């Protein structure tokens, strides 16, 4: 499959699709990149969030960004929905805090949406935790809409127990008919 075009990465960064052996690398950075999940319980939750299967079966629509030394700087794991034709889903995205504000969060979204649009997707969905204000701001900046929920937390619509008891989530969708920010 020919990759759709995407803007060039800033100098010093390169892109590739993940491989199964990248699973441990990504798991290793999550505690530092996502400090809100602390302790032993947080490590288990992170591991459960991103099992190896994503690095074995969803690599053609997922992306890694590395610096010139091969150090992981960002990743996005996403896929076309097998149950909802025309829909795609971003499961997990992360950017090294030291590399934030360099366009490394926006870049894989741009690449992902171009790839899934070329394969028939008309919308992209994703979720975040209600307390993750940076993620909420980033996704709305990218043009995602927050879906109405069954409750409001700090002014944000939330879907109660979305991922299980007590695991409330903010649910986003973005029409791919809308132009992304550049």
């Amino acid at each position: 499959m020919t990759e759709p075009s995407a803007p060039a990465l800033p100098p010093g960064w390169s892109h590739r699709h993940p491989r199964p052996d990248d699973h441990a690398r990504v798991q290793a950075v999550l505690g530092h990149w996502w400090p809100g999940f602390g302790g032993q319980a947080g490590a288990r939750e992170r591991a459960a969030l991103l099992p190896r299967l994503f690095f074995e079966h969803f690599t053609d629509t997922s992306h890694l960004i590395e610096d010139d030394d091969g150090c992981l700087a960002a990743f996005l794991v996403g896929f076309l929905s097998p149950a909802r034709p025309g829909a795609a889903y971003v499961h997990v995205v992360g950017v090294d805090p030291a590399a934030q504000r360099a366009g490394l969060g926006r870049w894989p979204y741009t690449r992902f949406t171009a790839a899934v649009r070329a394969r028939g997707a008309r919308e992209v969905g994703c979720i975040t935790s209600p307390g993750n204000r940076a993620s909420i701001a980033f996704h709305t900046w990218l043009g995602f809409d927050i879906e109405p929920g069954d409750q409001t937390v700090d002014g944000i619509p939330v879907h109660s127990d979305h991922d299980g008891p007590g695991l409330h989530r903010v649910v986003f969708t973005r029409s791919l008919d809308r132009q992304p920010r550049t």
Side-chain angles (χ1 to χ4, degrees):
M1 169 178 119
T2 302
E3 289 285 340
S5 63
L9 277 167
W13 308 104
S14 61
H15 156 267
R16 66 180 176 81
H17 295 289
R19 301 180 300 256
D21 62 340
D22 290 312
H23 179 248
R25 288 178 70 200
V26 172
Q27 285 282 336
V29 301
L30 291 180
H32 173 66
W33 291 10
W34 297 350
F37 291 127
Q40 193 99 26
R44 280 191 300 276
E45 190 172 335
R46 284 189 301 276
L49 193 70
L50 198 55
R52 185 179 176 92
L53 73 92
F54 285 101
F55 296 81
E56 296 172 336
H57 298 283
F58 298 100
T59 58
D60 64 332
T61 52
S62 298
H63 305 277
L64 292 179
I65 298 175
E66 299 169 314
D67 68 15
D68 285 340
D69 295 325
C71 293
L72 184 63
F75 66 90
L76 180 148
V77 174
F79 52 89
L80 287 161
S81 172
R84 292 182 45 212
Y89 187 77
V90 173
H91 178 62
V92 181
V93 64
V95 178
D96 183 341
Q100 290 179 359
R101 306 267 185 245
L104 300 183
R106 180 177 41 115
W107 192 90
Y109 268 95
T110 302
R111 188 70 176 240
F112 174 77
T113 57
V116 297
R117 180 185 289 125
R119 293 165 78 179
R122 305 293 296 170
E123 74 173 22
V124 174
C126 61
I127 62 171
T128 196
S129 299
N132 192 339
R133 292 291 189 176
S135 177
I136 294 167
F138 177 69
H139 285 93
T140 55
W141 181 82
L142 284 176
F144 281 85
D145 295 315
I146 297 175
E147 293 296 311
D150 61 341
Q151 68 170 307
T152 301
V153 175
D154 295 328
I156 303 293
V158 171
H159 294 245
S160 301
D161 302 326
H162 184 274
D163 282 338
L167 299 174
H168 312 321
R169 298 293 182 251
V170 178
V171 177
F172 298 95
T173 57
R174 184 178 139 222
S175 169
L176 293 182
D177 295 332
R178 210 174 336 152
Q179 291 299 314
R181 291 185 187 262
T182 56

